[in-house]
Amino acid sequence: MNKDHLDIRCESCIIRELNSFNALNKEDLSKISDVKQVISFKKGEQVFIEGQKLKGVYCIKSGSTKLSKISDNGNSQIVKIARKGELLGKRSLISEESTNLDAIALTDMELCFIPKEKILELSENKSFMKALLINISNELKKSDNEFVNLAQKSVKQRLSHVLIYLNNEFGNDSEGFISLYLKRKEIGDLIGTSKEGCIRMLSSFKEKKLIDIKGKRIKIINKDDLSKIDLGLIS
Amino acid sequence: MNKDHLDIRCESCIIRELNSFNALNKEDLSKISDVKQVISFKKGEQVFIEGQKLKGVYCIKSGSTKLSKISDNGNSQIVKIARKGELLGKRSLISEESTNLDAIALTDMELCFIPKEKILELSENKSFMKALLINISNELKKSDNEFVNLAQKSVKQRLSHVLIYLNNEFGNDSEGFISLYLKRKEIGDLIGTSKEGCIRMLSSFKEKKLIDIKGKRIKIINKDDLSKIDLGLIS
DNA sequence: CGCTCAATTGAGCAACTTCAAAATTAGTGG
DNA sequence: CCACTAATTTTGAAGTTGCTCAATTGAGCG
């Protein structure tokens, strides 16, 4: 973790187009910019841990983080992956609670930290509140949908689903491999299976020429059939 | 479904203490009361279906409803149970989308329907917006937690969990049985397992004297051990 | 080169599902 | 209230899926 003040003003930051801050006017943005702090995290570092009291929210300027939780059984489960433009910690700030999830950087990251007090001031701003409400509301919908998928679909279906998701959301490198590198264990934690289960299913996908694997990297070859597997149309 | 205008005023309705409406003043409540409609549903009737465009929200005056979804595989999954005091349909109204879940009455119900337009007017009310935000935010937290439980816990653990939940939230009758009656299939849909799996686990709980079963009704006998099973401390 | 962490593979096992049949219960109309 | 029908619950048995543990291979790094 490293604090750094060589940063741009929020008013001219394009990231805000992606989150609730786009509901703010120049004045409010300027106020935020005056107090924000840019913080860097290296891949693998912990941004915050479940149960921690946050003193503000983090706007992701670059990089991605997994939001996960250790279950009573001691297994880790990834609930979601947050990336550029998302606000971390907003939920716990709204409910005035400690965080519910661990946040661990999946890549090197740059975050803008905005203290609690400033966010609370913004709660006077109706359009900001509305944007926040819509944002949380959409997250709730996504969470509900993932819940149903997890409950009702097989490992094979969920793996197909997550590969397509990673490919769509994080893009691919020059050779077509998914840009965001996740360990097998992490893919397992994402779909709720063991790393071995995940590895075996990936091999089977490779045999069927649905994907290609080079070392740790994964490339989707037959997206259509992966989709069909996800939807249970073929197996 | 049956419309009925013999109803009390929102200002004096105690239900509102349980939801975001408790952030409203007398004036706003009065405005709502003028336009609200009381609607009754019988057990088993559908309040709304996934994909339906709602014209307002429903405040649950009495009774409970399951919020469920049919997965791509054709299985039903219950995402949550809503009861007295909860607002149905608020999420889809906020995001201006069609509903994401089916709502089917688990008991006879009385709902107060409040048209969209009135709710939108209330979006000018800061304390209402704030209450709504906190409410949705808490639901998101719950949903995330249930997601982790589902992913990481065994059927046995999840069944223990849900029995304790039903007992705590819906209370028991004069003989100590859980008041809210759910079919075995529905308990299965709630914990993400087949009805047979659910039945077999219930029998095993009965054998171990953790619960008692009389026909369709379930009574918790040893809550402590059920809790321990849920937490994975014993099996 | 040696160390460490991650990925892979095999084998046995446990959990859960599915299908079919039988038993019980609930609902309905007379 | 009874009889009949439909729905639900229960049980058995066989089959899958996915898990765990242990051993091996491979990759990255100083």
Side-chain angles (χ1 to χ4, degrees), chain A residues 151-152 154 157, chain B residues 73-75 185 192-200:
Chain A
Q152 299 293 344
S154 64
Q157 288 180 296
Chain B
N73 300 353
N75 290 20
K185 168 82 165 62
T193 194
S194 65
K195 63 180 181 305
E196 294 93 340
C198 174
I199 285 167
R200 272 180 257 255

mmCIF file of all heavy atoms in Angstrom, chain A residues 151-152 154 157, chain B residues 73-75 185 192-200, chain C residues 16-20, chain D residues 10-17:
data_model
loop_
_atom_site.group_PDB
_atom_site.id
_atom_site.type_symbol
_atom_site.label_atom_id
_atom_site.label_comp_id
_atom_site.label_asym_id
_atom_site.label_seq_id
_atom_site.Cartn_x
_atom_site.Cartn_y
_atom_site.Cartn_z
ATOM 1 N N ALA A 151 -27.321 -22.212 -7.160
ATOM 2 C CA ALA A 151 -28.144 -23.250 -6.562
ATOM 3 C C ALA A 151 -28.558 -24.301 -7.580
ATOM 4 O O ALA A 151 -28.653 -25.477 -7.261
ATOM 5 C CB ALA A 151 -29.389 -22.628 -5.926
ATOM 6 N N GLN A 152 -28.793 -23.895 -8.799
ATOM 7 C CA GLN A 152 -29.469 -24.775 -9.743
ATOM 8 C C GLN A 152 -28.599 -25.313 -10.858
ATOM 9 O O GLN A 152 -28.979 -26.245 -11.550
ATOM 10 C CB GLN A 152 -30.682 -24.055 -10.336
ATOM 11 C CG GLN A 152 -31.730 -23.651 -9.309
ATOM 12 C CD GLN A 152 -32.426 -24.854 -8.683
ATOM 13 O OE1 GLN A 152 -32.358 -25.967 -9.189
ATOM 14 N NE2 GLN A 152 -33.057 -24.640 -7.532
ATOM 15 N N SER A 154 -25.000 -26.873 -12.676
ATOM 16 C CA SER A 154 -23.871 -27.750 -12.399
ATOM 17 C C SER A 154 -22.561 -26.975 -12.482
ATOM 18 O O SER A 154 -22.519 -25.860 -12.993
ATOM 19 C CB SER A 154 -23.840 -28.874 -13.424
ATOM 20 O OG SER A 154 -23.624 -28.330 -14.709
ATOM 21 N N GLN A 157 -21.855 -25.959 -15.979
ATOM 22 C CA GLN A 157 -22.601 -24.779 -16.426
ATOM 23 C C GLN A 157 -22.023 -23.500 -15.831
ATOM 24 O O GLN A 157 -21.873 -22.498 -16.512
ATOM 25 C CB GLN A 157 -24.076 -24.909 -16.024
ATOM 26 C CG GLN A 157 -24.834 -25.952 -16.830
ATOM 27 C CD GLN A 157 -26.292 -26.039 -16.377
ATOM 28 O OE1 GLN A 157 -26.587 -26.400 -15.240
ATOM 29 N NE2 GLN A 157 -27.204 -25.701 -17.272
ATOM 30 N N ASN B 73 -32.534 -24.356 -16.057
ATOM 31 C CA ASN B 73 -32.748 -25.804 -16.021
ATOM 32 C C ASN B 73 -34.200 -26.187 -15.742
ATOM 33 O O ASN B 73 -34.535 -27.362 -15.753
ATOM 34 C CB ASN B 73 -31.873 -26.446 -14.934
ATOM 35 C CG ASN B 73 -30.400 -26.206 -15.175
ATOM 36 O OD1 ASN B 73 -30.012 -25.673 -16.206
ATOM 37 N ND2 ASN B 73 -29.573 -26.591 -14.223
ATOM 38 N N GLY B 74 -35.014 -25.188 -15.426
ATOM 39 C CA GLY B 74 -36.415 -25.455 -15.192
ATOM 40 C C GLY B 74 -36.761 -25.680 -13.727
ATOM 41 O O GLY B 74 -37.915 -25.906 -13.395
ATOM 42 N N ASN B 75 -35.768 -25.624 -12.843
ATOM 43 C CA ASN B 75 -36.042 -25.799 -11.422
ATOM 44 C C ASN B 75 -36.363 -24.462 -10.773
ATOM 45 O O ASN B 75 -35.821 -23.431 -11.143
ATOM 46 C CB ASN B 75 -34.827 -26.389 -10.703
ATOM 47 C CG ASN B 75 -34.593 -27.823 -11.076
ATOM 48 O OD1 ASN B 75 -35.080 -28.286 -12.115
ATOM 49 N ND2 ASN B 75 -33.854 -28.545 -10.259
ATOM 50 N N LYS B 185 -41.138 -29.702 -0.830
ATOM 51 C CA LYS B 185 -40.584 -29.190 -2.098
ATOM 52 C C LYS B 185 -40.111 -27.743 -1.939
ATOM 53 O O LYS B 185 -39.075 -27.351 -2.462
ATOM 54 C CB LYS B 185 -41.672 -29.283 -3.171
ATOM 55 C CG LYS B 185 -41.400 -28.542 -4.480
ATOM 56 C CD LYS B 185 -40.517 -29.348 -5.406
ATOM 57 C CE LYS B 185 -40.536 -28.814 -6.837
ATOM 58 N NZ LYS B 185 -40.020 -27.445 -6.953
ATOM 59 N N GLY B 192 -31.962 -25.177 -2.001
ATOM 60 C CA GLY B 192 -31.299 -25.609 -3.226
ATOM 61 C C GLY B 192 -31.020 -27.096 -3.283
ATOM 62 O O GLY B 192 -29.943 -27.513 -3.694
ATOM 63 N N THR B 193 -31.995 -27.880 -2.870
ATOM 64 C CA THR B 193 -31.828 -29.337 -2.986
ATOM 65 C C THR B 193 -33.149 -29.944 -3.445
ATOM 66 O O THR B 193 -34.156 -29.255 -3.551
ATOM 67 C CB THR B 193 -31.371 -29.951 -1.641
ATOM 68 O OG1 THR B 193 -30.901 -31.278 -1.861
ATOM 69 C CG2 THR B 193 -32.495 -29.985 -0.631
ATOM 70 N N SER B 194 -33.154 -31.247 -3.722
ATOM 71 C CA SER B 194 -34.377 -31.898 -4.173
ATOM 72 C C SER B 194 -35.295 -32.136 -2.987
ATOM 73 O O SER B 194 -34.852 -32.160 -1.841
ATOM 74 C CB SER B 194 -34.030 -33.233 -4.825
ATOM 75 O OG SER B 194 -33.475 -34.092 -3.860
ATOM 76 N N LYS B 195 -36.591 -32.331 -3.262
ATOM 77 C CA LYS B 195 -37.518 -32.572 -2.156
ATOM 78 C C LYS B 195 -37.150 -33.850 -1.424
ATOM 79 O O LYS B 195 -37.230 -33.928 -0.202
ATOM 80 C CB LYS B 195 -38.969 -32.576 -2.637
ATOM 81 C CG LYS B 195 -39.334 -33.672 -3.625
ATOM 82 C CD LYS B 195 -40.815 -33.562 -4.021
ATOM 83 C CE LYS B 195 -41.225 -34.661 -4.997
ATOM 84 N NZ LYS B 195 -40.391 -34.731 -6.233
ATOM 85 N N GLU B 196 -36.698 -34.873 -2.166
ATOM 86 C CA GLU B 196 -36.310 -36.132 -1.526
ATOM 87 C C GLU B 196 -35.125 -35.929 -0.585
ATOM 88 O O GLU B 196 -35.109 -36.458 0.528
ATOM 89 C CB GLU B 196 -35.945 -37.190 -2.572
ATOM 90 C CG GLU B 196 -37.086 -37.653 -3.434
ATOM 91 C CD GLU B 196 -37.186 -36.850 -4.713
ATOM 92 O OE1 GLU B 196 -36.629 -35.738 -4.750
ATOM 93 O OE2 GLU B 196 -37.799 -37.336 -5.677
ATOM 94 N N GLY B 197 -34.157 -35.190 -1.047
ATOM 95 C CA GLY B 197 -32.991 -34.907 -0.203
ATOM 96 C C GLY B 197 -33.414 -34.211 1.066
ATOM 97 O O GLY B 197 -32.932 -34.510 2.167
ATOM 98 N N CYS B 198 -34.322 -33.265 0.898
ATOM 99 C CA CYS B 198 -34.834 -32.506 2.024
ATOM 100 C C CYS B 198 -35.569 -33.419 3.002
ATOM 101 O O CYS B 198 -35.349 -33.366 4.218
ATOM 102 C CB CYS B 198 -35.750 -31.423 1.466
ATOM 103 S SG CYS B 198 -36.611 -30.490 2.681
ATOM 104 N N ILE B 199 -36.433 -34.271 2.468
ATOM 105 C CA ILE B 199 -37.210 -35.201 3.293
ATOM 106 C C ILE B 199 -36.294 -36.132 4.082
ATOM 107 O O ILE B 199 -36.457 -36.330 5.286
ATOM 108 C CB ILE B 199 -38.137 -36.050 2.382
ATOM 109 C CG1 ILE B 199 -39.319 -35.210 1.915
ATOM 110 C CG2 ILE B 199 -38.618 -37.300 3.101
ATOM 111 C CD1 ILE B 199 -40.115 -35.834 0.780
ATOM 112 N N ARG B 200 -35.305 -36.676 3.390
ATOM 113 C CA ARG B 200 -34.403 -37.618 4.050
ATOM 114 C C ARG B 200 -33.630 -36.939 5.175
ATOM 115 O O ARG B 200 -33.423 -37.515 6.250
ATOM 116 C CB ARG B 200 -33.446 -38.239 3.029
ATOM 117 C CG ARG B 200 -34.023 -39.488 2.387
ATOM 118 C CD ARG B 200 -33.058 -40.088 1.373
ATOM 119 N NE ARG B 200 -33.498 -39.771 0.030
ATOM 120 C CZ ARG B 200 -34.086 -40.639 -0.795
ATOM 121 N NH1 ARG B 200 -34.293 -41.871 -0.408
ATOM 122 N NH2 ARG B 200 -34.457 -40.290 -2.000
ATOM 123 P P DC C 16 -24.963 -32.987 0.719
ATOM 124 O OP1 DC C 16 -24.724 -31.539 0.715
ATOM 125 O OP2 DC C 16 -25.573 -33.662 1.881
ATOM 126 O "O5'" DC C 16 -25.815 -33.342 -0.568
ATOM 127 C "C5'" DC C 16 -25.299 -32.962 -1.845
ATOM 128 C "C4'" DC C 16 -26.044 -33.672 -2.930
ATOM 129 O "O4'" DC C 16 -25.727 -35.072 -2.923
ATOM 130 C "C3'" DC C 16 -27.570 -33.599 -2.832
ATOM 131 O "O3'" DC C 16 -28.037 -32.764 -3.873
ATOM 132 C "C2'" DC C 16 -28.027 -35.043 -2.935
ATOM 133 C "C1'" DC C 16 -26.794 -35.737 -3.533
ATOM 134 N N1 DC C 16 -26.683 -37.192 -3.231
ATOM 135 C C2 DC C 16 -26.582 -38.087 -4.306
ATOM 136 O O2 DC C 16 -26.580 -37.644 -5.461
ATOM 137 N N3 DC C 16 -26.484 -39.407 -4.049
ATOM 138 C C4 DC C 16 -26.495 -39.858 -2.786
ATOM 139 N N4 DC C 16 -26.388 -41.179 -2.601
ATOM 140 C C5 DC C 16 -26.597 -38.963 -1.674
ATOM 141 C C6 DC C 16 -26.685 -37.648 -1.932
ATOM 142 P P DT C 17 -29.590 -32.846 -4.369
ATOM 143 O OP1 DT C 17 -29.892 -31.551 -4.971
ATOM 144 O OP2 DT C 17 -30.431 -33.385 -3.274
ATOM 145 O "O5'" DT C 17 -29.541 -33.923 -5.530
ATOM 146 C "C5'" DT C 17 -28.540 -33.795 -6.550
ATOM 147 C "C4'" DT C 17 -28.952 -34.633 -7.748
ATOM 148 O "O4'" DT C 17 -28.745 -36.029 -7.436
ATOM 149 C "C3'" DT C 17 -30.419 -34.481 -8.131
ATOM 150 O "O3'" DT C 17 -30.505 -34.380 -9.539
ATOM 151 C "C2'" DT C 17 -31.078 -35.740 -7.585
ATOM 152 C "C1'" DT C 17 -29.944 -36.757 -7.600
ATOM 153 N N1 DT C 17 -29.975 -37.763 -6.491
ATOM 154 C C2 DT C 17 -29.879 -39.096 -6.802
ATOM 155 O O2 DT C 17 -29.786 -39.522 -7.932
ATOM 156 N N3 DT C 17 -29.899 -39.941 -5.712
ATOM 157 C C4 DT C 17 -30.000 -39.595 -4.378
ATOM 158 O O4 DT C 17 -30.000 -40.447 -3.494
ATOM 159 C C5 DT C 17 -30.109 -38.180 -4.134
ATOM 160 C C7 DT C 17 -30.221 -37.696 -2.714
ATOM 161 C C6 DT C 17 -30.087 -37.344 -5.181
ATOM 162 P P DT C 18 -31.907 -34.103 -10.230
ATOM 163 O OP1 DT C 18 -31.591 -33.211 -11.355
ATOM 164 O OP2 DT C 18 -32.882 -33.718 -9.194
ATOM 165 O "O5'" DT C 18 -32.377 -35.512 -10.808
ATOM 166 C "C5'" DT C 18 -31.406 -36.424 -11.303
ATOM 167 C "C4'" DT C 18 -32.068 -37.751 -11.592
ATOM 168 O "O4'" DT C 18 -31.971 -38.592 -10.425
ATOM 169 C "C3'" DT C 18 -33.550 -37.660 -11.955
ATOM 170 O "O3'" DT C 18 -33.752 -38.392 -13.148
ATOM 171 C "C2'" DT C 18 -34.272 -38.285 -10.771
ATOM 172 C "C1'" DT C 18 -33.208 -39.221 -10.194
ATOM 173 N N1 DT C 18 -33.253 -39.439 -8.720
ATOM 174 C C2 DT C 18 -33.043 -40.720 -8.246
ATOM 175 O O2 DT C 18 -32.843 -41.670 -8.955
ATOM 176 N N3 DT C 18 -33.071 -40.822 -6.874
ATOM 177 C C4 DT C 18 -33.296 -39.813 -5.957
ATOM 178 O O4 DT C 18 -33.293 -40.037 -4.749
ATOM 179 C C5 DT C 18 -33.514 -38.507 -6.528
ATOM 180 C C7 DT C 18 -33.775 -37.345 -5.618
ATOM 181 C C6 DT C 18 -33.482 -38.387 -7.859
ATOM 182 P P DC C 19 -35.097 -38.301 -14.008
ATOM 183 O OP1 DC C 19 -34.703 -38.265 -15.428
ATOM 184 O OP2 DC C 19 -35.954 -37.249 -13.436
ATOM 185 O "O5'" DC C 19 -35.779 -39.703 -13.715
ATOM 186 C "C5'" DC C 19 -34.991 -40.899 -13.794
ATOM 187 C "C4'" DC C 19 -35.762 -42.041 -13.175
ATOM 188 O "O4'" DC C 19 -35.569 -42.020 -11.746
ATOM 189 C "C3'" DC C 19 -37.267 -41.991 -13.420
ATOM 190 O "O3'" DC C 19 -37.672 -43.238 -13.934
ATOM 191 C "C2'" DC C 19 -37.863 -41.717 -12.046
ATOM 192 C "C1'" DC C 19 -36.799 -42.319 -11.120
ATOM 193 N N1 DC C 19 -36.734 -41.751 -9.752
ATOM 194 C C2 DC C 19 -36.404 -42.598 -8.683
ATOM 195 O O2 DC C 19 -36.169 -43.784 -8.913
ATOM 196 N N3 DC C 19 -36.342 -42.083 -7.431
ATOM 197 C C4 DC C 19 -36.601 -40.796 -7.235
ATOM 198 N N4 DC C 19 -36.515 -40.339 -5.980
ATOM 199 C C5 DC C 19 -36.951 -39.914 -8.305
ATOM 200 C C6 DC C 19 -37.004 -40.429 -9.537
ATOM 201 P P DA C 20 -39.176 -43.483 -14.455
ATOM 202 O OP1 DA C 20 -39.055 -44.114 -15.788
ATOM 203 O OP2 DA C 20 -39.969 -42.243 -14.273
ATOM 204 O "O5'" DA C 20 -39.698 -44.567 -13.421
ATOM 205 C "C5'" DA C 20 -38.805 -45.561 -12.903
ATOM 206 C "C4'" DA C 20 -39.438 -46.193 -11.697
ATOM 207 O "O4'" DA C 20 -39.137 -45.398 -10.527
ATOM 208 C "C3'" DA C 20 -40.964 -46.293 -11.776
ATOM 209 O "O3'" DA C 20 -41.366 -47.580 -11.349
ATOM 210 C "C2'" DA C 20 -41.438 -45.224 -10.827
ATOM 211 C "C1'" DA C 20 -40.319 -45.240 -9.774
ATOM 212 N N9 DA C 20 -40.191 -44.017 -8.984
ATOM 213 C C8 DA C 20 -40.317 -42.718 -9.395
ATOM 214 N N7 DA C 20 -40.153 -41.835 -8.441
ATOM 215 C C5 DA C 20 -39.908 -42.610 -7.317
ATOM 216 C C6 DA C 20 -39.652 -42.279 -5.980
ATOM 217 N N6 DA C 20 -39.595 -41.031 -5.524
ATOM 218 N N1 DA C 20 -39.450 -43.303 -5.120
ATOM 219 C C2 DA C 20 -39.503 -44.558 -5.570
ATOM 220 N N3 DA C 20 -39.731 -44.996 -6.808
ATOM 221 C C4 DA C 20 -39.924 -43.959 -7.634
ATOM 222 P P DT D 10 -42.799 -36.771 4.975
ATOM 223 O OP1 DT D 10 -43.136 -36.858 6.396
ATOM 224 O OP2 DT D 10 -41.764 -35.837 4.501
ATOM 225 O "O5'" DT D 10 -42.420 -38.230 4.491
ATOM 226 C "C5'" DT D 10 -43.366 -39.277 4.682
ATOM 227 C "C4'" DT D 10 -42.903 -40.510 3.957
ATOM 228 O "O4'" DT D 10 -43.044 -40.312 2.542
ATOM 229 C "C3'" DT D 10 -41.433 -40.888 4.174
ATOM 230 O "O3'" DT D 10 -41.429 -42.073 4.947
ATOM 231 C "C2'" DT D 10 -40.874 -41.084 2.772
ATOM 232 C "C1'" DT D 10 -42.117 -41.184 1.914
ATOM 233 N N1 DT D 10 -42.021 -40.726 0.504
ATOM 234 C C2 DT D 10 -42.286 -41.640 -0.500
ATOM 235 O O2 DT D 10 -42.587 -42.797 -0.290
ATOM 236 N N3 DT D 10 -42.193 -41.130 -1.775
ATOM 237 C C4 DT D 10 -41.865 -39.834 -2.136
ATOM 238 O O4 DT D 10 -41.820 -39.500 -3.311
ATOM 239 C C5 DT D 10 -41.602 -38.938 -1.030
ATOM 240 C C7 DT D 10 -41.237 -37.512 -1.309
ATOM 241 C C6 DT D 10 -41.691 -39.417 0.222
ATOM 242 P P DT D 11 -40.103 -42.682 5.544
ATOM 243 O OP1 DT D 11 -40.460 -43.493 6.706
ATOM 244 O OP2 DT D 11 -39.108 -41.601 5.650
ATOM 245 O "O5'" DT D 11 -39.639 -43.668 4.389
ATOM 246 C "C5'" DT D 11 -40.460 -44.790 4.057
ATOM 247 C "C4'" DT D 11 -39.873 -45.487 2.848
ATOM 248 O "O4'" DT D 11 -40.067 -44.673 1.681
ATOM 249 C "C3'" DT D 11 -38.374 -45.776 2.931
ATOM 250 O "O3'" DT D 11 -38.200 -47.171 3.006
ATOM 251 C "C2'" DT D 11 -37.794 -45.161 1.663
ATOM 252 C "C1'" DT D 11 -39.036 -44.970 0.783
ATOM 253 N N1 DT D 11 -38.972 -43.841 -0.177
ATOM 254 C C2 DT D 11 -39.253 -44.071 -1.501
ATOM 255 O O2 DT D 11 -39.562 -45.164 -1.939
ATOM 256 N N3 DT D 11 -39.181 -42.967 -2.307
ATOM 257 C C4 DT D 11 -38.849 -41.679 -1.925
ATOM 258 O O4 DT D 11 -38.828 -40.780 -2.742
ATOM 259 C C5 DT D 11 -38.558 -41.499 -0.521
ATOM 260 C C7 DT D 11 -38.183 -40.155 -0.004
ATOM 261 C C6 DT D 11 -38.630 -42.573 0.278
ATOM 262 P P DG D 12 -36.789 -47.877 3.100
ATOM 263 O OP1 DG D 12 -37.001 -49.130 3.844
ATOM 264 O OP2 DG D 12 -35.795 -46.881 3.553
ATOM 265 O "O5'" DG D 12 -36.483 -48.257 1.577
ATOM 266 C "C5'" DG D 12 -37.511 -48.821 0.778
ATOM 267 C "C4'" DG D 12 -36.939 -49.234 -0.561
ATOM 268 O "O4'" DG D 12 -37.094 -48.139 -1.505
ATOM 269 C "C3'" DG D 12 -35.452 -49.580 -0.546
ATOM 270 O "O3'" DG D 12 -35.271 -50.756 -1.324
ATOM 271 C "C2'" DG D 12 -34.781 -48.359 -1.172
ATOM 272 C "C1'" DG D 12 -35.857 -47.824 -2.106
ATOM 273 N N9 DG D 12 -35.844 -46.377 -2.289
ATOM 274 C C8 DG D 12 -35.703 -45.421 -1.302
ATOM 275 N N7 DG D 12 -35.740 -44.199 -1.757
ATOM 276 C C5 DG D 12 -35.919 -44.352 -3.127
ATOM 277 C C6 DG D 12 -36.030 -43.372 -4.137
ATOM 278 O O6 DG D 12 -36.009 -42.150 -4.034
ATOM 279 N N1 DG D 12 -36.202 -43.968 -5.399
ATOM 280 C C2 DG D 12 -36.245 -45.305 -5.635
ATOM 281 N N2 DG D 12 -36.408 -45.676 -6.899
ATOM 282 N N3 DG D 12 -36.147 -46.230 -4.693
ATOM 283 C C4 DG D 12 -35.980 -45.685 -3.466
ATOM 284 P P DA D 13 -33.883 -51.537 -1.392
ATOM 285 O OP1 DA D 13 -34.175 -52.975 -1.473
ATOM 286 O OP2 DA D 13 -32.971 -50.993 -0.351
ATOM 287 O "O5'" DA D 13 -33.356 -51.043 -2.814
ATOM 288 C "C5'" DA D 13 -34.253 -51.009 -3.924
ATOM 289 C "C4'" DA D 13 -33.509 -50.447 -5.121
ATOM 290 O "O4'" DA D 13 -33.612 -49.003 -5.117
ATOM 291 C "C3'" DA D 13 -32.017 -50.779 -5.121
ATOM 292 O "O3'" DA D 13 -31.632 -51.071 -6.445
ATOM 293 C "C2'" DA D 13 -31.376 -49.489 -4.612
ATOM 294 C "C1'" DA D 13 -32.304 -48.456 -5.240
ATOM 295 N N9 DA D 13 -32.321 -47.151 -4.580
ATOM 296 C C8 DA D 13 -32.126 -46.864 -3.249
ATOM 297 N N7 DA D 13 -32.202 -45.585 -2.963
ATOM 298 C C5 DA D 13 -32.475 -44.989 -4.178
ATOM 299 C C6 DA D 13 -32.676 -43.651 -4.559
ATOM 300 N N6 DA D 13 -32.639 -42.629 -3.698
ATOM 301 N N1 DA D 13 -32.915 -43.399 -5.861
ATOM 302 C C2 DA D 13 -32.946 -44.418 -6.727
ATOM 303 N N3 DA D 13 -32.773 -45.718 -6.491
ATOM 304 C C4 DA D 13 -32.543 -45.935 -5.189
ATOM 305 P P DA D 14 -30.183 -51.692 -6.754
ATOM 306 O OP1 DA D 14 -30.414 -53.061 -7.228
ATOM 307 O OP2 DA D 14 -29.275 -51.427 -5.623
ATOM 308 O "O5'" DA D 14 -29.736 -50.797 -7.994
ATOM 309 C "C5'" DA D 14 -30.745 -50.264 -8.868
ATOM 310 C "C4'" DA D 14 -30.205 -49.025 -9.524
ATOM 311 O "O4'" DA D 14 -30.350 -47.890 -8.636
ATOM 312 C "C3'" DA D 14 -28.709 -49.119 -9.851
ATOM 313 O "O3'" DA D 14 -28.522 -48.641 -11.166
ATOM 314 C "C2'" DA D 14 -28.048 -48.224 -8.802
ATOM 315 C "C1'" DA D 14 -29.138 -47.174 -8.598
ATOM 316 N N9 DA D 14 -29.079 -46.459 -7.324
ATOM 317 C C8 DA D 14 -28.785 -46.960 -6.079
ATOM 318 N N7 DA D 14 -28.816 -46.055 -5.123
ATOM 319 C C5 DA D 14 -29.155 -44.894 -5.793
ATOM 320 C C6 DA D 14 -29.352 -43.577 -5.345
ATOM 321 N N6 DA D 14 -29.234 -43.210 -4.071
ATOM 322 N N1 DA D 14 -29.674 -42.653 -6.264
ATOM 323 C C2 DA D 14 -29.789 -43.024 -7.547
ATOM 324 N N3 DA D 14 -29.640 -44.224 -8.087
ATOM 325 C C4 DA D 14 -29.315 -45.123 -7.145
ATOM 326 P P DG D 15 -27.103 -48.646 -11.870
ATOM 327 O OP1 DG D 15 -27.247 -49.281 -13.175
ATOM 328 O OP2 DG D 15 -26.072 -49.073 -10.892
ATOM 329 O "O5'" DG D 15 -26.918 -47.075 -12.114
ATOM 330 C "C5'" DG D 15 -28.057 -46.290 -12.487
ATOM 331 C "C4'" DG D 15 -27.656 -44.833 -12.417
ATOM 332 O "O4'" DG D 15 -27.704 -44.384 -11.042
ATOM 333 C "C3'" DG D 15 -26.233 -44.575 -12.908
ATOM 334 O "O3'" DG D 15 -26.265 -43.407 -13.720
ATOM 335 C "C2'" DG D 15 -25.434 -44.352 -11.633
ATOM 336 C "C1'" DG D 15 -26.480 -43.740 -10.709
ATOM 337 N N9 DG D 15 -26.262 -43.938 -9.277
ATOM 338 C C8 DG D 15 -25.985 -45.119 -8.623
ATOM 339 N N7 DG D 15 -25.853 -44.962 -7.327
ATOM 340 C C5 DG D 15 -26.060 -43.599 -7.131
ATOM 341 C C6 DG D 15 -26.043 -42.830 -5.916
ATOM 342 O O6 DG D 15 -25.842 -43.229 -4.776
ATOM 343 N N1 DG D 15 -26.300 -41.487 -6.171
ATOM 344 C C2 DG D 15 -26.550 -40.949 -7.412
ATOM 345 N N2 DG D 15 -26.772 -39.639 -7.461
ATOM 346 N N3 DG D 15 -26.568 -41.650 -8.538
ATOM 347 C C4 DG D 15 -26.316 -42.958 -8.311
ATOM 348 P P DT D 16 -25.024 -43.135 -14.707
ATOM 349 O OP1 DT D 16 -25.490 -43.233 -16.063
ATOM 350 O OP2 DT D 16 -23.798 -43.869 -14.257
ATOM 351 O "O5'" DT D 16 -24.798 -41.600 -14.375
ATOM 352 C "C5'" DT D 16 -24.811 -41.267 -13.021
ATOM 353 C "C4'" DT D 16 -24.942 -39.785 -12.864
ATOM 354 O "O4'" DT D 16 -25.083 -39.579 -11.465
ATOM 355 C "C3'" DT D 16 -23.688 -39.063 -13.309
ATOM 356 O "O3'" DT D 16 -24.053 -37.772 -13.764
ATOM 357 C "C2'" DT D 16 -22.835 -39.079 -12.045
ATOM 358 C "C1'" DT D 16 -23.860 -39.124 -10.903
ATOM 359 N N1 DT D 16 -23.507 -40.055 -9.779
ATOM 360 C C2 DT D 16 -23.539 -39.554 -8.499
ATOM 361 O O2 DT D 16 -23.850 -38.409 -8.249
ATOM 362 N N3 DT D 16 -23.198 -40.453 -7.520
ATOM 363 C C4 DT D 16 -22.838 -41.772 -7.694
ATOM 364 O O4 DT D 16 -22.561 -42.476 -6.727
ATOM 365 C C5 DT D 16 -22.826 -42.236 -9.068
ATOM 366 C C7 DT D 16 -22.445 -43.645 -9.350
ATOM 367 C C6 DT D 16 -23.154 -41.369 -10.030
ATOM 368 P P DT D 17 -22.897 -36.815 -14.330
ATOM 369 O OP1 DT D 17 -23.533 -35.907 -15.301
ATOM 370 O OP2 DT D 17 -21.699 -37.598 -14.698
ATOM 371 O "O5'" DT D 17 -22.544 -35.962 -13.046
ATOM 372 C "C5'" DT D 17 -23.610 -35.475 -12.226
ATOM 373 C "C4'" DT D 17 -23.020 -34.856 -10.987
ATOM 374 O "O4'" DT D 17 -22.670 -35.882 -10.048
ATOM 375 C "C3'" DT D 17 -21.754 -34.038 -11.257
ATOM 376 O "O3'" DT D 17 -21.985 -32.762 -10.717
ATOM 377 C "C2'" DT D 17 -20.647 -34.830 -10.559
ATOM 378 C "C1'" DT D 17 -21.406 -35.599 -9.491
ATOM 379 N N1 DT D 17 -20.860 -36.922 -9.066
ATOM 380 C C2 DT D 17 -20.764 -37.205 -7.713
ATOM 381 O O2 DT D 17 -21.080 -36.424 -6.840
ATOM 382 N N3 DT D 17 -20.289 -38.461 -7.424
ATOM 383 C C4 DT D 17 -19.913 -39.447 -8.333
ATOM 384 O O4 DT D 17 -19.512 -40.530 -7.939
ATOM 385 C C5 DT D 17 -20.034 -39.077 -9.720
ATOM 386 C C7 DT D 17 -19.654 -40.070 -10.770
ATOM 387 C C6 DT D 17 -20.497 -37.855 -10.026
#
